[in-house]
Amino acid sequence: MAKLYIKIYPNPVLRKKARHVGKLGDDERKLAYGMIEAMRSASGVGLAAPQVGISKRIIVVENVDNDKKAALVLINPRITRKKGNVNFCEGCLSLPGISSDVARPEFITVEALNLDGDILKINADGLLARIIQHETDHLDGILFIDKIGFLKRRKIIKQLGAKVCMKF
Ligand code: NI
């Protein structure tokens, strides 16, 4: 697969609801490995397929709870349990230079398939839970800036606008 490039807000693919993956094959495998490479070369800890312009329900997540750093590939992830509420500073590779505190559930259970088609059920908290929720949101076209207050969001969007203006 050709090298993958990260799509930057306001690219419309970031707002599309991604398609369920029905069959796992070479395309999905190559996509997942390409996404892990793109995530790592951008020094990110998670990436969703829409962020590389592919509207499929696949996310990759750095396994921050595991020293071996084997990234998790989650296909058709669904968050089936949420508990608690905690604020944490988030950023996003599709919103470069922007970060904000975002409130989310602290504990989650996520169910997904891995690349072999096995069913995974993962209980997560802390940073891992945070990343999984952020990336799963991307599959529904939701960005972290949608989860913060209106005034703060307006300020951030202004900042993003200013960045775009400076670039051109
Ligand atoms: Ni993101």
Side-chain angles (χ1 to χ4, degrees):
M1 169 172 277
K3 188 171 164 18
L4 299 172
Y5 292 94
I6 294 172
K7 306 291 179 191
I8 303 299
Y9 176 90
N11 190 306
V13 73
L14 298 171
R15 289 307 197 179
K16 271 177 71 178
K17 192 172 162 73
R19 290 188 312 277
H20 182 88
V21 178
K23 211 180 99 206
L24 284 171
D26 269 0
D27 284 355
E28 287 69 28
R29 209 174 309 277
K30 284 180 193 156
L31 172 60
Y33 293 144
M35 285 168 62
I36 292 170
E37 205 182 304
M39 168 181 78
R40 289 183 170 164
S41 61
S43 305
V45 286
L47 193 67
Q51 290 183 277
V52 293
I54 312 258
S55 202
K56 285 186 178 179
R57 301 188 82 80
I58 299 179
I59 66 172
V60 297
V61 174
E62 207 67 85
N63 193 356
V64 289
D65 284 353
N66 180 333
D67 287 341
K68 281 180 279 183
K69 283 259 182 185
L72 296 166
V73 177
L74 303 181
I75 294 151
N76 298 329
R78 281 189 313 123
I79 292 165
T80 53
R81 187 188 65 115
K82 300 175 183 179
K83 214 183 109 204
N85 185 56
V86 66
N87 263 302
F88 193 82
C89 184
E90 285 188 33
C92 178
L93 293 176
S94 294
L95 295 156
I98 301 297
S99 61
S100 175
D101 268 349
V102 181
R104 293 190 189 266
E106 189 175 2
F107 305 95
I108 61 158
T109 301
V110 63
E111 294 182 40
L113 298 179
N114 68 12
L115 278 174
D116 296 321
D118 304 322
I119 297 170
L120 302 176
K121 189 170 177 177
I122 299 168
N123 294 314
D125 62 2
L127 184 58
L128 185 61
R130 174 69 47 167
I131 305 166
I132 291 170
Q133 292 178 84
H134 176 117
E135 301 311 332
T136 302
D137 270 354
H138 272 297
L139 304 180
D140 291 319
I142 298 167
L143 303 172
F144 82 83
I145 52 171
D146 304 331
K147 305 215 157 219
I148 59 181
F150 171 73
L151 290 174
K152 216 169 173 186
R153 180 164 65 239
R154 200 170 61 177
K155 200 174 137 205
I156 281 178
I157 289 170
K158 260 191 197 158
Q159 276 177 35
L160 289 167
K163 257 179 135 46
V164 172
C165 291
M166 282 190 300
K167 253 189 204 160
F168 290 101

